[in-house]
């Protein structure tokens, strides 16, 4: 398949997954902000979320303070924020449009309808009235597009690059969700009693659909160590880092067709570490340090995939400032004569 | 006023241009035979039912993404709104015999046009026979000297032709324009039919409407037939200027329907006079390009050097016979307005037949006699620039003020060779849904003619309708809509 097509499919899937995870993260923080607690603590949650998403800069350029209303607006409907839900859904749709002939009409129509309905819902004031309904809708639209992929597409390179985008983005996002708590403690001078720990970890679990999984796996009270263990190492659960990276490893094998590449090696190494890792060892070196290293390696892997498969285009790709957003090719407009 | 135009649906009609409520539509005239079944069906539908279906059509076109960007405001700041081309649920119907005659005429015309293009880039017999003056060809901006002596597969240049047909007077057909470069609109023909069948399946159960859905198959066959002789199992691609082109939906649609790659210039490169596309598994040879990019943008080494839409070296590979372009380079020489008046002569010269389809009578202002007539009759004529497109540099006499006509007269007298003139045609009308109900609106037709191993077409085409009262302009950019086009199998 065309390298450019693979690139669009890869980013289409990444943006769809990112919209879903942003909605999940917003939902968790929104639920937390409803608990009886100090405003300071609620603000801390929002601040940590922005920081972990590397968006504090853009946010504070246009806003004062950390009001729930403002942060939700910024993360859900602000087009100047490239990772807002609306930006992600638009980017997913535009990428799908660029390659609508390479997938099938059902996938395109599901992403197009999501985009059209999203504009309508936001204009109707759903974020003001019932933000949780909107977050849940975003999550279910993502389920739908994944369902269309699995239920209707031929298993060819188009499918593999799409799935690759999904799991690279999910590994990245899940690691960030887990790291929010660390950011909160970092940003707080007083690290003494944290009475909302329980609720925080429940919210984290909820945001990755992990609460029920946790209960079934551990049949015990909630502790940060176990939450980290579940999100990082539990291979049988599709939102964990281990499961996401295992998928990435396998998908890279599909698209390289047995060729040995740097991407194959990086993925195999990371996957083996997660397979054989123990939560005790990981926590010994510090969870935050572990996650920072993990994110760097996932980004490196994504970069390798891009260089090896997606951008063998003659001109040098423009230097990327932020490794996790797509580089846009400049379209030349053509004035056609007779058509 | 209402009787001044040929009405497609009624022999005699009292339908007013401003429209009548749908309920009152039943009694406005004597329907032509081929519309009787449809009218019987329509009068059995409730107004409300039709309204629901019309809204459903718009929603479906949006969902499928058959839209184009427009300027204006949308629900969210920073987002360019998109709109659909209005779709009218009243079809335009052809009886079988009428279509058969039209089809014969189209086949003959496209054959002659292909013969003409081949001749122009080879022996130029038609010039030597004194039928077309040499200066008309060699001095034409659409003539591509790069194509002199270049042989193309099967001597076919216009593989895909869109011939614009109108009806005027008592219902005679005229060819308004030949489109032999990158004619668009076929996706609307196909999507309109799909939409009609989805909205009103019972209509198709009671009318024998000839299908059009096999067009992509015919197109694929045509493109395969255009492959270089050496390519055994040719790789075919559709080439688009990109997703911001107004016809992008159509490019993607056709690629998908044919199961071939949709490429942009940046996906292709030429090595040693062979063309390749960049794939995730390395370079892959390309044999045939169905290109939806104008000649000027194809190859920056030969045509516009600033084009980023094309492929450097493409024309070299093309001239070497290693890749086929559909349509060929240089077809513009045959659909230029200054060449149009000669098409009936081409039919006689190349095929030895009398033309089946009429041209619109045309005065060539470079001829002193024609110019004198045109200058005497400006208020009733349409005067067009020969190389113009999109309605620029044009005078519509009956719609112009005395001052505008005087101004145009000066321009015309200064450069008569740049203009042609035609009578203002009374285009036929077809009942159409408008604000006030149903009203007659002017229509045209663009059938798509494919030339490969032989000349083929599906029964039908794209019917465009001028939705504004009295308007003769059917372009989508100027308030035009579309209708499904039926050819009855009887």
């Amino acid at each position: 398949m065309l390298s450019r097509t693979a690139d669009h499919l890869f980013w289409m899937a990444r943006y769809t997954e990112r919209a879903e995870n942003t909605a999940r993260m917003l939902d968790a923080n929104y639920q937390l902000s409803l608990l009886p607690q100090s405003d300071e603590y609620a603000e801390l949650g929002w601040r940590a979320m922005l920081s972990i998403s590397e968006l504090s800069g853009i946010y504070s350029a246009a806003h004062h303070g950390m009001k729930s209303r403002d942060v939700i607006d910024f993360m859900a409907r602000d087009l100047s924020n490239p990772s807002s839900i609306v930006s992600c859904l638009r980017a997913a749709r535009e990428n799908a449009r660029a390659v609508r002939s390479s997938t099938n009409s059902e996938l395109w129509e599901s992403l197009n309808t999501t985009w059209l309905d999203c504009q309508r819902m936001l204009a109707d004031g759903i974020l003001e009235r019932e933000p949780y309904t909107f977050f849940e809708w975003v999550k279910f639209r993502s389920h739908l597009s994944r369902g269309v992929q699995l239920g209707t597409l031929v298993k060819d390179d188009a499918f593999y690059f799409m799935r690759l985008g999904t799991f690279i983005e999910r590994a990245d996002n899940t690691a960030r969700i887990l790291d929010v708590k660390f950011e909160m403690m970092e940003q707080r001078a007083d690290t003494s009693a944290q009475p909302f720990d329980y609720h925080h970890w429940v919210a984290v679990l909820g945001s990755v659909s992990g609460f029920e999984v946790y209960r079934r796996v551990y049949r015990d009270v909630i502790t940060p160590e176990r939450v980290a263990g579940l999100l990082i190492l539990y291979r049988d659960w599709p939102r964990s880092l281990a499961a996401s990276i295992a998928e990435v490893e396998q998908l890279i094998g599909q698209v390289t067709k047995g060729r040995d590449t740097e991407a194959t090696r990086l993925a195999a190494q990371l996957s083996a570490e997660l397979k054989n890792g123990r939560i005790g060892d990981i926590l010994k070196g510090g969870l935050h340090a572990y996650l920072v290293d993990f994110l760097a390696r996932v980004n490196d892997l994504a970069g390798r995939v891009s260089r090896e498969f997606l951008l063998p285009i003659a001109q040098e790709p423009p230097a990327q400032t932020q490794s996790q957003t797509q580089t846009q090719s400049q379209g030349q407009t053509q004035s056609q004569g007779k058509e | 006023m209402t009787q001044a135009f040929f009405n497609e649906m009624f022999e005699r009609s009292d339908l007013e241009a401003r429209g009548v409520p749908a309920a009152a539509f039943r009694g406005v005239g004597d329907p032509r035979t081929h519309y009787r079944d449809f009218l019987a069906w329509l009068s059995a539908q409730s107004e409300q039912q039709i309204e629901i279906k019309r809204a459903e059509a718009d929603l479906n076109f949006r969902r499928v993404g058959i839209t184009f960007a427009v300027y204006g405001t949308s629900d969210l700041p920073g987002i360019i709104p998109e709109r659909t081309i209005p779709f009218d649920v009243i079809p335009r119907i052809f009886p079988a015999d009428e279509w058969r005659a039209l089809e014969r005429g189209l086949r003959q015309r496209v054959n002659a046009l292909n013969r003409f293009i081949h001749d122009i880039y080879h022996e130029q017999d038609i010039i030597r026979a004194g039928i077309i003056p040499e200066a008309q060809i060699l001095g034409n901006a659409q003539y591509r000297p790069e194509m002199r002596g270049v042989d193309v597969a099967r001597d076919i240049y216009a593989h895909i032709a869109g011939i614009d047909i109108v009806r005027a007077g008592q219902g005679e057909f005229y060819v308004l324009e030949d489109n032999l470069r990158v004619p668009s609109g076929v996706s609307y023909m196909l999507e309109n039919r799909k939409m009609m069948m989805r909205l009103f399946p019972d209509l198709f159960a009671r009318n024998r409407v000839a299908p059009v859905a096999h067009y992509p198959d015919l197109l694929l066959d045509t493109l395969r037939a255009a492959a270089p002789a050496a390519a055994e199992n040719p790789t075919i691609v559709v080439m688009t200027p990109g997703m911001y082109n107004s016809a992008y939906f159509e490019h993607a649609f056709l690629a998908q329907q044919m199961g071939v790659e949709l490429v942009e210039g940046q996906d292709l490169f030429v090595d040693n006079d062979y063309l390749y596309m960049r794939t995730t598994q390395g370079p892959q040879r390309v044999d045939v390009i169905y290109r939806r990019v104008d000649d000027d943008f194809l190859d920056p080494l030969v045509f516009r050097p600033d084009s980023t839409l094309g492929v450097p070296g493409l024309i070299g590979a093309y001239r070497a016979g290693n890749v086929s372009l559909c349509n060929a380079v240089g077809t513009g020489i045959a659909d230029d307005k200054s060449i149009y008046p000669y098409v009936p002569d081409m039919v006689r010269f190349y095929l030895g037949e009398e033309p089946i389809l009429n041209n619109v009578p045309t005065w060539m202002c470079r001829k002193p006699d024609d110019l004198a007539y045109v200058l005497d009759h400006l208020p009733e004529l349409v005067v067009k620039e020969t190389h113009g497109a999109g309605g620029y540099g044009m005078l519509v006499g009956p719609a112009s003020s005395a001052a505008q006509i005087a101004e145009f007269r000066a321009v015309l007298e200064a450069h008569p060779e740049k203009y042609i003139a035609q009578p203002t045609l009374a285009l036929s009308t077809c009942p159409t849904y408008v604000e006030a109900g149903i009203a007659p609106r002017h229509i045209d037709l663009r059938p798509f003619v494919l030339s490969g191993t032989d000349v083929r077409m599906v029964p039908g085409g794209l019917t465009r309708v001028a939705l504004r009262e009295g308007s003769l302009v059917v372009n989508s950019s100027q308030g035009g809509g579309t209708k499904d086009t039926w050819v009855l199998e009887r």
Side-chain angles (χ1 to χ4, degrees), chain B residues 260-298:
Chain B
V260 305
E261 291 284 1
L262 177 67
V263 305
E264 297 178 13
Q266 54 168 325
D267 299 322
L268 303 172
F269 68 94
V270 172
D271 182 30
N272 205 11
D273 275 350
Y274 282 95
L275 181 71
Y276 298 88
M277 57 182 167
R278 304 173 208 278
T279 80
T280 53
Q281 308 297 334
Q284 187 188 337
R285 267 274 291 281
V286 174
D287 304 297
V288 181
I289 307 184
Y290 176 26
R291 48 93 172 208
R292 298 293 297 259
V293 174
D294 278 350
D295 283 1
D296 281 339
F297 294 90
L298 279 178

Side-chain angles (χ1 to χ4, degrees), chain A residues 26-38:
Chain A
L26 281 172
D27 195 31
N29 267 286
Y30 177 70
Q31 303 292 348
L32 277 178
S33 74
L34 300 179
L35 291 176
Q37 58 181 338
S38 67

Side-chain angles (χ1 to χ4, degrees), chain B residues 10-294:
Chain B
F10 297 106
E11 306 261 5
R12 183 196 59 79
S13 154
D14 305 321
L15 191 53
E16 290 172 39
R18 71 174 59 239
V20 301
F25 178 63
R26 215 177 158 169
V28 297
D30 307 331
R32 297 181 192 277
T33 324
H34 55 284
Y35 270 101
R36 278 190 191 143
D37 276 354
F38 173 78
L39 278 171
W41 173 87
L42 185 64
S43 55
Q45 310 300 310
S46 75
E47 255 178 82
Q48 203 184 7
Q49 181 74 5
I50 296 282
E51 272 313 307
I52 292 169
K53 295 288 187 183
R54 292 179 65 204
E56 191 181 325
D58 188 63
L59 191 72
N60 275 318
F61 278 124
R62 273 179 206 284
R63 199 167 59 83
V64 177
I66 312 179
T67 54
F68 58 94
V70 290
Y71 295 100
T73 51
S74 71
D75 292 341
L76 289 173
I79 291 172
I80 301 165
E82 296 171 352
R83 78 173 178 88
T84 56
I85 294 180
F87 169 69
D88 186 59
V89 297
I90 299 178
R92 187 261 183 92
I93 305 176
F94 281 100
D97 54 341
E98 213 168 60
W99 175 258
R100 267 195 300 275
L102 197 54
E103 186 174 342
R104 267 201 313 280
L106 288 165
R107 195 171 300 219
Q108 178 194 54
R109 187 169 177 107
V110 169
N111 259 329
L113 287 164
N114 268 312
R115 293 280 291 272
F116 168 72
I117 303 169
H118 180 261
D119 184 29
I120 286 308
Y121 292 119
H122 290 80
E123 287 75 22
Q124 303 191 333
D125 289 338
I126 200 162
I127 297 176
R128 279 187 285 127
I131 294 171
I132 303 182
E134 188 172 29
Q136 286 295 296
I137 303 290
L138 303 187
N140 193 310
Q142 290 302 323
Y143 173 73
R144 304 283 182 198
E146 298 85 356
M147 288 300 289
R148 265 318 281 276
V150 176
D151 289 321
V152 301
R154 296 174 200 272
D155 295 342
I156 290 178
Y157 289 77
H159 307 87
I160 300 103
I163 311 294
D164 289 349
I165 305 277
V166 295
R167 262 178 138 171
Q170 299 307 302
E172 312 88 77
F173 290 110
Y174 291 93
V175 174
L176 192 61
E177 198 172 61
D178 304 292
N179 294 279
L180 307 177
R181 301 174 208 182
V182 285
S184 66
V186 77
S187 58
Y188 289 96
M189 169 184 88
L190 296 168
E191 288 292 338
N192 286 353
R193 174 61 54 81
K194 221 188 317 180
M195 187 64 69
M196 276 305 266
M197 294 182 78
R198 174 177 176 154
L199 296 178
F200 308 112
D202 50 323
L203 249 183
F204 290 85
R206 53 190 284 176
N207 286 281
R208 298 185 57 82
V209 181
V212 293
H214 54 297
Y215 177 84
D217 222 58
L218 294 186
L219 177 60
L220 184 60
D221 205 46
T222 304
L223 296 172
R224 289 180 71 96
E232 226 166 76
N233 191 11
T235 298
I236 294 161
V237 299
V238 177
M239 183 180 180
T240 175
M243 64 189 288
Y244 297 108
N245 182 276
S246 58
Y248 176 74
F249 162 73
E250 179 158 307
H251 309 158
F253 173 85
L254 291 173
Q256 187 172 41
Q257 293 293 310
M258 293 191 289
V260 305
E261 291 284 1
L262 177 67
V263 305
E264 297 178 13
Q266 54 168 325
D267 299 322
L268 303 172
F269 68 94
V270 172
D271 182 30
N272 205 11
D273 275 350
Y274 282 95
L275 181 71
Y276 298 88
M277 57 182 167
R278 304 173 208 278
T279 80
T280 53
Q281 308 297 334
Q284 187 188 337
R285 267 274 291 281
V286 174
D287 304 297
V288 181
I289 307 184
Y290 176 26
R291 48 93 172 208
R292 298 293 297 259
V293 174
D294 278 350

Side-chain angles (χ1 to χ4, degrees), chain A residues 4 97 109 332 336 338, chain B residues 63 248 267 294 308 335:
Chain A
R4 181 177 55 81
R97 191 154 84 106
E109 283 176 31
Q332 179 177 2
Q336 295 267 17
K338 286 176 78 156
Chain B
R63 199 167 59 83
Y248 176 74
D267 299 322
D294 278 350
T308 58
D335 71 6

